[in-house]
């Protein structure tokens, strides 16, 4: 027959053993080996990889795909699609000749040389499904936040497409460091002439 002391010691020993095993497992797991990576944190202005696009025809003669759900505003000869810190501006106008790299470089410099944060980039001809376009890259101060009074530096890609007297400029802007290479390529590859 067991004594009262024997009956109390046995459960205490089992409980103590479970505590020691649990503490060992927890301690052993937390300090041994690499820490698993956390969730990806998107940089400001990153467009999600699963973003859907919709085709729009802001002016006669062409169509272009823009991210679905972005706000659209029209101002004069331009239509701008925005979401958070990103913007796509499309404008169309008459031009007697196709733009050259030199002409686009001069135009961008003349337009933005006195703008806050302007830093010229490259100007080059690129091929897209709609044909050859002249691409200009540059940096410029983005819009000022009305609450904080601060602005971020935007990285800008400007594409000029030309056909039969119609010059279409597609300007893509996002904060420096945003990884929008694929979405911006989707937009410029989607550009097509409709007439």
């Amino acid at each position: 027959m067991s004594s009262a002391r024997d009956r109390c010691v046995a459960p205490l020993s089992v409980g103590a053993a479970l505590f020691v095993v649990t503490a060992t497992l927890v301690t052993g797991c937390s300090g041994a080996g690499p820490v698993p990576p956390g969730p990806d944190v998107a940089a400001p202005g990153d467009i999600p990889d699963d973003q859907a696009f919709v085709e729009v025809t802001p002016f006669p003669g062409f169509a272009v795909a823009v991210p679905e759900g972005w706000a659209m505003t029209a101002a004069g000869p331009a239509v701008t699609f925005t979401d958070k810190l990103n913007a796509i501006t499309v404008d169309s106008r008459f031009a007697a000749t196709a733009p050259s790299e030199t002409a686009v470089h001069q135009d961008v410099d003349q337009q933005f040389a006195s703008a806050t944060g302007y830093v010229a980039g490259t100007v080059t001809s690129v091929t897209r499904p709609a044909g050859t376009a002249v691409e200009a890259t540059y940096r410029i101060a983005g819009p000022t936040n009305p609450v904080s009074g601060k602005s971020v530096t935007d990285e800008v890609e400007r594409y000029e497409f030309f056909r039969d007297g119609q010059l279409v400029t597609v300007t893509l802007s996002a904060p420096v460091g945003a990884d929008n290479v694929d979405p911006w390529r989707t937009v410029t590859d989607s550009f097509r002439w409709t007439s």
Side-chain angles (χ1 to χ4, degrees):
M1 180 160 163
S2 64
S3 69
R5 179 187 175 279
D6 292 338
R7 286 189 301 261
C8 289
V9 171
L12 181 60
S13 297
V14 171
L18 284 173
F19 173 78
V20 170
V21 169
T22 303
T24 302
L25 287 174
V26 169
T27 304
C29 291
S30 67
V35 175
D40 287 340
V41 177
D46 272 2
I47 298 171
D49 291 339
D50 60 353
Q51 174 67 56
F53 289 80
V54 294
E55 185 175 86
V56 296
T57 53
F59 300 100
F62 68 93
V64 65
V66 297
E68 185 175 38
W70 284 27
M72 182 180 98
T73 56
V79 174
T80 301
F81 301 88
T82 57
D83 181 60
K84 300 177 188 81
L85 301 173
N86 299 305
I88 300 171
T89 301
V90 181
D91 70 64
S92 175
R93 61 187 182 275
F94 172 80
T97 60
S100 68
E101 291 178 21
T102 301
V104 170
H105 183 74
Q106 290 171 347
D107 184 44
V108 169
D109 277 351
Q110 182 180 20
Q111 206 173 356
F112 299 108
S114 62
T116 304
Y118 173 70
V119 177
T122 61
V123 178
T124 185
S125 293
V126 296
T127 302
R128 294 294 186 262
T132 300
V134 177
E135 176 194 20
T137 63
Y138 55 94
R139 290 184 175 184
I140 197 164
T144 302
N145 181 306
V147 175
S148 69
K150 297 179 181 178
S151 104
V152 298
T153 300
D154 280 346
E155 204 152 28
V156 181
E157 295 179 21
R158 173 176 161 167
Y159 295 82
E160 295 199 359
F161 295 90
F162 177 84
R163 187 171 104 176
D164 298 333
Q166 185 174 16
L167 177 66
V168 177
T169 303
V170 179
T171 305
L172 315 162
S173 63
V176 170
D179 181 15
N180 290 338
V181 172
D182 293 333
W184 288 165
R185 185 64 187 243
T186 297
V187 172
T188 59
D189 278 355
S190 75
F191 179 87
R192 65 183 182 88
W193 299 105
T194 57
S195 59

